[in-house]
C-alpha cells in the first residue's frame, strides 16, 4: 500500500467499527496492533459471533486478539495536571 491508500483504509476501518452497535470505543494505537476496539457484548457467544461476522470478514483485518476485562476502575474526572 502507498501511505495514502493505507491511511484511507485505516480511516474507513475506523468509521466501519464506530458504526457497529456493540462498539463502545475505538482507539487508533501504536505498536503491533493498529486499533483497539472496546466492545460490549452479552456473553462469549455474542463476542465470537461479532468477531466472526464483523471483523474476520473485513478485508483489512489480518489478525485479531481478544482480551476480557474482569474488573475496571475509573476516575470520575481527569486529574488537574497544570499545577
Amino acid at each position: 500500500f502507498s501511505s495514502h491508500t493505507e491511511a484511507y483504509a485505516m480511516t474507513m476501518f475506523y468509521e466501519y467499527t464506530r458504526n457497529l452497535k456493540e462498539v463502545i470505543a475505538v482507539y487508533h494505537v501504536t505498536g503491533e496492533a493498529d486499533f483497539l476496539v472496546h466492545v460490549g457484548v452479552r456473553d462469549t457467544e455474542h463476542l465470537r459471533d461479532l468477531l466472526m461476522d464483523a471483523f474476520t470478514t473485513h478485508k483489512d483485518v489480518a489478525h485479531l486478539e481478544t482480551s476480557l476485562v474482569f474488573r475496571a476502575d475509573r476516575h470520575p474526572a481527569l486529574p488537574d495536571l497544570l499545577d
Side-chain angles (χ1 to χ4, degrees), residues 17-62:
T17 57
R18 285 185 57 223
N19 290 312
L20 296 171
K21 68 180 180 180
E22 294 90 350
V23 172
I24 296 168
V26 182
Y27 305 94
H28 186 193
V29 298
T30 63
E32 289 186 36
D34 292 318
F35 292 95
L36 171 64
V37 182
H38 180 184
V39 299
V41 293
R42 290 183 305 276
D43 52 29
T44 55
E45 184 175 328
H46 186 189
L47 176 60
R48 185 197 67 227
D49 291 345
L50 176 64
L51 295 175
M52 294 298 152
D53 296 340
F55 292 99
T56 61
T57 58
H58 194 282
K59 66 182 181 67
D60 294 317
V61 174

